[in-house]
């Protein structure tokens, strides 16, 4: 992406002198605004087109505040170290630059200056500015069950990560904020993005509807957690006592009927055996 470039002596000095004029022309030319999210791709347009032939006799400078980003001189491209391997030009698209894998630190005002060689010297042909805003929104928090630290107490944790600026987390029930201080916040030193989490303990014998609310800047994200009181499965022990009396009476009656049928069956078997023995006694002996 980076070609070896040895610009003419004093070319950058002349360029920086031109930046003095940027403030004067800024209000006349206006500033384009581009808003993107972290890790997205930003295309910043210079708002100016030149032909391939003109490109060889032109100089294009992109800078952010006082920091150089990219330069194209006589068709050769140079990318400064901070933007290497993630920034390139799109000459055919209004001399745009494309920045990949956006970082929070990429936010700021970018200036594009186009110079053309006229009568042996380079003079400013075009100047424009683009304001890039890089956002880092927190995703919707997730709520996880951490188990029961004691028999009637359940613990849950709410967490989210990858956002900016520094967030704060609160728990609400029925619109009222709960007094919970078990919150942890950390920041990645490289990406500057934050991670936040907070735990909550509650009594399982009551119904609950909790909201985990994360605020960052003027924005918020939230998640709802509902808990319904545990209800044991219904059984005959939970029936009103009159029904219990009727049920017990029916069971006793059924048992009584079963025992009576058992006795009747036993008598029939005994009578059948007695009848068979009498028939054997009446049979005469053989002659």
């Amino acid at each position: 992406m980076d070609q070896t470039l040895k610009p003419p002596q004093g070319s950058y000095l002349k360029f920086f002198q031109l930046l003095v004029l940027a403030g004067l022309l800024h209000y006349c030319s206006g500033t384009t605004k581009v808003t993107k999210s972290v890790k997205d791709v930003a295309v910043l347009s210079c708002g100016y087109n030149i032909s391939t032939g003109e490109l060889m006799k032109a100089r294009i400078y992109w800078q952010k505040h006082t920091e150089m980003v990219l330069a194209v001189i006589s068709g050769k491209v140079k990318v400064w170290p901070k933007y290497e391997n993630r920034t390139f030009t799109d000459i055919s698209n209004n001399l745009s630059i494309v920045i990949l894998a956006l970082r929070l630190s990429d936010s700021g005002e970018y200036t594009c200056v186009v110079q053309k060689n006229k009568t042996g010297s380079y003079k400013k042909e075009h100047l424009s500015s683009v304001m890039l805003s890089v956002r880092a929104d927190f995703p919707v928090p997730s709520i996880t069950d951490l188990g029961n630290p004691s028999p009637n107490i359940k613990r849950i944790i709410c967490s989210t990560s990858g956002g900016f600026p520094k967030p704060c987390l609160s728990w609400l029930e029925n619109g009222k904020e709960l007094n919970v201080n078990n919150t942890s916040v950390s920041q990645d030193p490289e990406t500057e993005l934050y991670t936040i989490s907070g735990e909550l303990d509650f009594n399982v014998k009551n119904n609950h509807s909790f909201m985990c609310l994360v605020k960052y800047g003027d924005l918020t994200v939230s998640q709802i957690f509902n808990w319904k009181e545990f209800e044991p499965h219904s059984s005959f022990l939970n029936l009103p006592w009159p029904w219990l009396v009727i049920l017990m009476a029916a069971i006793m009656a059924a048992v009584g009927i079963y025992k009576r049928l058992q006795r009747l069956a036993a008598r029939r078997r005994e009578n059948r055996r007695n009848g068979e023995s009498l028939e054997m006694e009446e049979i005469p002996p053989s002659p």
Side-chain angles (χ1 to χ4, degrees):
M1 182 179 292
D2 188 4
Q3 294 85 22
T4 303
L5 177 67
K6 293 183 179 180
Q9 185 69 25
S11 60
Y12 292 127
L13 177 60
K14 293 180 180 178
F15 165 67
F16 282 114
Q17 291 174 344
L18 285 172
L19 292 177
V20 178
L21 301 174
L24 298 175
L25 297 174
H26 173 74
Y27 296 102
C28 298
S29 61
T31 300
T32 303
K33 294 183 179 180
V34 175
T35 301
K36 293 290 182 178
S37 297
V38 167
K39 299 180 181 180
D40 276 356
V41 177
V43 179
L44 309 183
S45 174
C46 187
Y48 189 79
N49 271 323
I50 60 176
S51 65
T52 305
E54 290 177 309
L55 182 63
M56 300 306 295
K57 298 180 181 180
R59 296 174 181 174
I60 304 163
Y61 300 97
W62 274 99
Q63 84 162 41
K64 176 190 170 190
H65 303 304
T66 59
E67 175 184 70
M68 284 299 301
V69 177
L70 179 147
V72 182
I73 297 178
S74 300
K76 295 183 178 181
V77 179
K78 177 177 175 61
V79 180
W80 267 250
K82 184 178 178 181
Y83 295 88
E84 279 185 327
N85 301 320
R86 65 186 190 98
T87 305
F88 60 91
T89 59
D90 187 356
I91 299 297
S92 62
N93 183 19
N94 296 310
L95 305 181
S96 299
I97 60 170
V98 181
I99 305 176
L100 308 176
L102 286 172
R103 307 166 184 171
L104 286 172
S105 59
D106 291 329
S107 294
E109 186 175 23
Y110 291 76
T111 303
C112 173
V113 176
V114 179
Q115 296 177 331
K116 285 187 177 181
N117 192 337
K118 295 183 178 180
T119 65
S121 62
Y122 285 91
K123 295 184 179 180
K124 181 183 65 65
E125 184 74 15
H126 177 76
L127 175 68
S128 64
S129 297
V130 181
M131 178 62 71
L132 174 62
S133 298
V134 181
R135 295 178 50 178
D137 293 325
F138 282 94
V140 174
S142 62
I143 298 179
T144 306
D145 187 345
L146 296 182
N148 298 67
S150 60
N152 294 326
I153 301 298
K154 181 169 286 295
R155 178 170 296 166
I156 56 177
I157 184 171
C158 175
S159 61
T160 184
S161 62
F164 187 91
K166 186 176 181 179
C168 61
L169 184 150
S170 57
W171 290 95
L172 293 86
E173 185 174 21
N174 299 324
K176 296 182 179 180
E177 185 173 349
L178 303 177
N179 186 17
V180 180
N181 297 318
N182 195 2
T183 300
S184 172
V185 182
S186 61
Q187 185 180 26
D188 188 307
E190 183 177 351
T191 65
E192 303 180 25
L193 302 179
Y194 285 92
T195 295
I196 188 168
S197 64
E199 297 179 359
L200 176 68
D201 293 351
F202 64 91
N203 194 318
V204 298
K205 290 189 174 182
N206 300 315
N207 294 332
H208 297 282
S209 181
F210 297 115
M211 173 186 285
C212 172
L213 181 66
V214 176
K215 296 181 180 180
Y216 60 106
D218 297 328
L219 303 175
T220 62
V221 287
S222 62
Q223 182 64 277
I224 302 295
F225 179 86
N226 294 314
W227 175 263
K228 189 175 182 180
E229 178 188 2
F230 174 75
E231 296 181 358
H233 296 295
S234 60
S235 66
F236 72 93
L237 294 177
N238 295 324
L239 295 174
W241 69 267
W243 288 101
L244 286 175
V245 172
I246 295 173
L247 180 61
M248 293 301 294
I251 293 174
M252 293 176 65
V255 171
I257 293 173
Y258 175 77
K259 289 183 176 181
R260 185 173 181 182
L261 291 175
Q262 289 271 12
R263 289 195 295 269
L264 288 174
R267 288 178 184 176
R268 289 176 181 174
R269 288 194 296 271
E270 184 178 358
N271 291 337
R272 191 179 297 112
R273 286 196 297 271
N274 293 335
E276 292 176 353
S277 61
L278 289 174
E279 289 180 357
M280 291 179 65
E281 292 178 359
E282 293 176 358
I283 296 175
S286 301

